[in-house]
Amino acid sequence: MVGLRRKYSRSGLIPLVITSLFLIYIPPSANAATSTIHGTTGDNPRHITIDSSGNIYTANFDSNNVSKITPAGVSTTLGTTGTRPWGITIDSSGNIYTANTISRNVSKITPDGVSTILGTTGTLPIGITIDSSGNIYTANYDSNNVSKITPQGVSTTLGTTGNGPYGITIDLSGNIYTANNSSNNVSKITPQGVSTILGSTGTGPIGITIDSSGNIYTANQGSNNVSKITPAGVSSILGTTGAGPVKITLDSSGNIYTANLHSNNVSKITPAGVSSILGTTGDSPHGITIDSSGNIYTTNAGDNNVSKITVFDQAAANAEAARVAAANAEAARKAKEQKELMEILALIPSIGELTLSLGETTQSLYSTKCVKGKTTKYVKYGAKCPKGYVKKK
């Protein structure tokens, strides 16, 4: 804020405004984050997804339905699913798909809440993803393979995986990758169905994601860390996490985030491998996703709700800092002008007379006092006193 202090000339007749600068911007820490409960869900929410408008959707394992939570935190049940939905994804039209573990199929729910069974899967489908053509893929934990379901509902087995495929993701070329929980590795399946082992992971990989360069990352529940596997199959440990990381996501800058089931928090790992705890969650976070502003959301299976972790917005901070700097510069300019005016006025002798009358303003401005005995006269500044008068200060 800018404080104003009013000061007057020596005669008390000319108001002068002097500005004092109080604009100070103190940016928050780059790791600053605030955790809140964003909204409620059905029973035992597992995985989570988000649409382009910021609406959150959760697959509710025990209530066999999908919850929708608006950006304002308003919760509703969008539609029903098959038995024991686990994984969840969304297409470009806003249709929701769930991998139903016990009924071995995939549900489709339209934005209007109309629910249907899209197609069948292998045994115990957990992870689910979608390609740009609308084909659905599921990681089938018990049958060690991946199912493909076309938009028309035609189901086939795309290819085999390692043991216990859990999470699933896809690259821009349509290659499928699965995190194999029991064999501690990642499978790659081409669109033609050719299966290979891309690389090894830490212990018990569950969640999986991919960056724009094709690097694969897995959340390793058994070893509390994240593995990175390059497109060439080179494996390394990127960084550590909280206890029991189960799901994973990343932001546009390449930072990795994990939902830590046993420590009820979210870890952040930078591309350089620096690990920190971003924020806390509700009880037993299972799923994780991120919005366009970098806010993190987790499904909390133990509390039947979703946590939102609001992160520090560097772009907004930079804009605010620029605004404050501009305001300070303008205030400093005005203060300089006021100071210069005061210096000029300090050189002018006191105002001798200022007469104001209602309806008519008469102003006589004198600044030199001339005295002759008991008689006083004023003359304009610079003029000589009348003959016989002496100038007095």
Side-chain angles (χ1 to χ4, degrees), residues 149-222:
I149 308 176
T150 68
Q152 294 74 36
V154 178
S155 300
T156 56
T157 297
L158 178 67
T160 59
T161 67
N163 295 328
Y166 207 108
I168 189 170
T169 193
I170 188 170
D171 67 19
L172 295 176
S173 299
N175 298 297
I176 295 292
Y177 303 86
T178 62
N180 305 317
N181 182 257
S182 301
S183 54
N184 299 327
N185 54 23
V186 167
S187 292
K188 175 182 178 179
I189 308 176
T190 68
Q192 294 75 35
V194 178
S195 301
T196 56
I197 297 299
L198 178 66
S200 59
T201 67
T203 306
I206 291 184
I208 189 170
T209 192
I210 188 170
D211 67 19
S212 58
S213 299
N215 297 298
I216 296 292
Y217 304 87
T218 64
N220 307 314
Q221 186 183 24

Side-chain angles (χ1 to χ4, degrees), residues 84-102:
R84 298 293 190 264
W86 197 296
I88 189 169
T89 193
I90 188 170
D91 67 19
S92 58
S93 298
N95 297 298
I96 297 293
Y97 303 85
T98 62
N100 307 314
T101 57
I102 302 304

Side-chain angles (χ1 to χ4, degrees), residues 313-339:
D313 189 336
Q314 184 65 59
N318 290 342
E320 177 63 10
R323 186 194 70 78
V324 169
N328 279 340
E330 176 64 13
R333 183 189 66 79
K334 291 181 178 179
K336 182 180 179 182
E337 290 178 352
Q338 295 291 344
K339 180 181 178 183

